[in-house]
Amino acid sequence: MTTQHATRRLGLLAALSAALLAAVGLLLATPAQASIRTITLTAQGPSPAQLTIGKGDVVNFFNTDNVSHT
């Protein structure tokens, strides 16, 4: 193999490595920013009654009832 061929192969290897790293970076990117969700505990029950949360979301509970809830 000539020096010119070796240089081309190294350049190709570097380009492939950069492309692979970029692809891995996209796969490992964090999902959309987490949300803060709120559930209020009332005399009528929790509000909202149903809540969909995502991975990483924060859920805050607030008791506005006169009764202690756990």
Side-chain angles (χ1 to χ4, degrees), residues 1-60:
M1 174 174 10
T2 66
T3 303
Q4 187 177 14
H5 284 104
T7 301
R8 275 193 211 149
R9 286 188 181 192
L10 285 175
L12 180 59
L13 181 60
L16 288 173
S17 296
L20 180 61
L21 287 173
V24 168
L26 288 174
L27 291 174
L28 296 178
T30 54
Q33 187 174 4
S35 297
I36 298 175
R37 307 293 186 170
T38 301
I39 296 176
T40 304
L41 303 172
T42 69
Q44 291 75 36
S47 178
Q50 294 183 350
L51 181 66
T52 301
I53 60 171
K55 183 176 180 178
D57 285 355
V58 174
V59 181
N60 291 320

